[in-house]
Amino acid sequence: NVSMSFVQHRIQAESRARRTAKEKRGVGEVHIDEIYSYFPFRLFGLARSDLTDLVASEFAAEIELCRANPDMLGKYLDMKRAGYRVGFISDTYWDSDRLARLLRACHPGLSWDFLYASCDHGSSKSGSLFATYLSEQSIDASASFHVGDNDKADIRGAKRHGIRPRYYPQATAELAAKFQRETALF
């Protein structure tokens, strides 16, 4: 199946890009363009000049498929209305401009006080991205909290920087198990 093969090669390209970034820069954070630079274009009848189109296609798919979690969105908007500074800190290969477009596609008019994409800062949440956020935003870590679904990045990463973490699973246990099985198939 060509589409499954494409997905497998896309996953492998990301793995190679992250591994190479880790070897060269000491961190595995990459932009989407770096990922596709490791993609086997000719295998799919494509040329390197198609990189921009591949990135645009993947982003269009993200826009089409991404949905806001209504419970999280409600809590986010409640905090914003109550006057708290709120924002997003994401481990992602989408730069902050694309991340902003993705968030607003999920909820038009969405606003925030800060937005951090790990690829823009060359560091993940489990690395020094939280420290960058605290420093740039002049935030007292003990007066803030971070909601996330990843134990290493969101929970332990936040705790290491003095931020109170709140675990929020991305999916039910049943759905998470299904995602795990599908990922293992690839």
Side-chain angles (χ1 to χ4, degrees), residues 170-171 174-184:
Q170 193 175 52
E174 182 182 325
L175 186 56
K178 194 176 287 187
F179 288 152
Q180 184 85 22
R181 283 193 303 275
E182 288 178 3
T183 300

Side-chain angles (χ1 to χ4, degrees), residues 54-74:
L54 286 173
V55 170
S57 294
E58 183 168 332
F59 188 69
E62 288 266 6
I63 293 281
E64 182 68 29
L65 297 171
C66 191
R67 299 287 181 269
N69 175 315
D71 183 44
M72 285 305 304
L73 178 61

